[in-house]
């Protein structure tokens, strides 16, 4: 529950392994690229020792995507869930940890993907929304908004080698005038 000054964690750290179920519908016409997905997950990832579920809640993800032209595709996603964090800094004398609180994380995402005639793949994505934790996830930060975006290019040199470049920006606090652990908007 103590904020580590200047420390920032990614939005979904530790969630690359999670328990849940996902249902996907894909258009039989493969050229359309239309696909819709609905997912329900634990939302807090899986530790090496098994499932952890500290918030007693489930997270929901919805996604839709389609081809606009043969080489251009767009997609959009929504993530609705919560994460357990300390409700504040340690209190009392001697200092003792305070209770946990479910912090909302409701995020939206849009992406564009284009494959050039020379096989280079380009992608741009924006994610933003409510993420009620400090940037290091140590404490609850009421009504905190985050924002991130990136662009990338991936060009195949041969079947085993690609050249890849990416630029991204992440604002764990996107609201003007709000700070936590010495970090504010654009820091």
């Amino acid at each position: 529950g103590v904020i580590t000054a200047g420390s920032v964690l990614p939005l979904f750290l530790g969630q690359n392994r999670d328990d849940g179920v996902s249902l996907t519908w894909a258009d039989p016409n493969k050229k359309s690229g239309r696909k819709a997905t609905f997912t329900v997950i634990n939302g807090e990832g899986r530790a090496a020792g098994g499932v952890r579920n500290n918030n007693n809640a489930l997270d929901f993800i919805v996604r839709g995507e389609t081809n606009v032209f043969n080489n251009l595709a767009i997609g959009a996603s929504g993530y609705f869930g919560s994460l357990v964090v300390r409700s504040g800094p340690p209190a009392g004398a001697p200092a003792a940890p305070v209770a946990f609180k479910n912090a909302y994380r409701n995020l939206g995402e849009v992406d564009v993907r284009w494959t050039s005639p020379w096989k280079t793949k380009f992608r741009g994505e924006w994610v933003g929304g409510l993420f009620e934790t400090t940037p290091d996830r140590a404490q609850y930060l009421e009504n905190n908004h985050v924002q991130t975006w990136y662009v990338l290019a991936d060009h195949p040199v041969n079947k085993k080698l690609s050249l890849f470049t990416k630029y991204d920006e992440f604002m764990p606090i996107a609201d003007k005038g709000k700070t936590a652990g010495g970090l504010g908007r654009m820091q």
Side-chain angles (χ1 to χ4, degrees):
V2 177
I3 296 175
T4 305
S7 186
V8 176
L9 295 175
L11 290 176
F12 298 108
L13 180 69
Q15 271 188 262
N16 54 343
R17 296 180 60 214
D18 212 328
D19 291 327
V21 64
S22 184
L23 302 172
T24 300
W25 171 86
D27 189 338
N29 174 7
K30 302 274 187 217
K31 288 187 178 186
S32 76
R34 286 189 295 255
K35 186 166 41 168
T37 305
F38 177 74
T39 304
V40 179
I41 58 174
N42 179 38
E44 294 194 29
R46 274 188 7 185
V51 177
R52 60 178 185 220
N53 190 0
N54 298 323
N55 64 358
N56 295 322
L58 296 172
D59 292 6
F60 301 92
I61 305 165
V62 294
R63 176 159 176 80
E65 56 187 80
T66 188
N67 290 339
V68 179
F69 301 111
N70 287 340
N71 297 336
L72 180 67
I74 58 172
S77 303
Y79 186 105
F80 311 94
S82 63
L83 184 68
V84 163
V85 293
R86 292 281 180 186
S87 59
V98 296
F100 285 96
K101 183 173 181 82
N102 280 346
Y104 288 116
R105 52 182 177 173
N106 299 328
L107 304 166
E109 174 271 349
V110 292
D111 59 84
V112 176
R113 303 171 308 280
W114 180 62
T115 304
S116 71
W118 54 91
K119 306 281 189 232
T120 303
K121 295 177 184 173
F122 297 93
R123 181 179 174 110
E125 182 176 14
W126 176 90
V127 178
L130 185 67
F131 201 94
E132 293 186 314
T133 71
T134 57
D136 64 351
R137 294 199 195 152
Q139 293 179 25
Y140 178 74
L141 186 58
E142 185 175 8
N143 203 30
N144 181 51
H145 291 82
V146 297
Q147 180 174 302
T148 185
W149 64 272
Y150 74 87
V151 291
L152 66 81
D154 182 3
H155 182 75
V157 175
N158 59 39
K159 289 183 179 181
K160 296 183 179 183
L161 179 67
S162 290
L163 295 175
F164 181 88
T165 186
K166 177 181 173 183
Y167 179 82
D168 63 68
E169 289 197 8
F170 175 45
M171 289 182 275
I173 298 177
D175 300 315
K176 291 181 181 177
K178 188 177 280 191
T179 60
L183 294 174
R185 182 176 168 85
M186 296 299 291
Q187 293 179 316

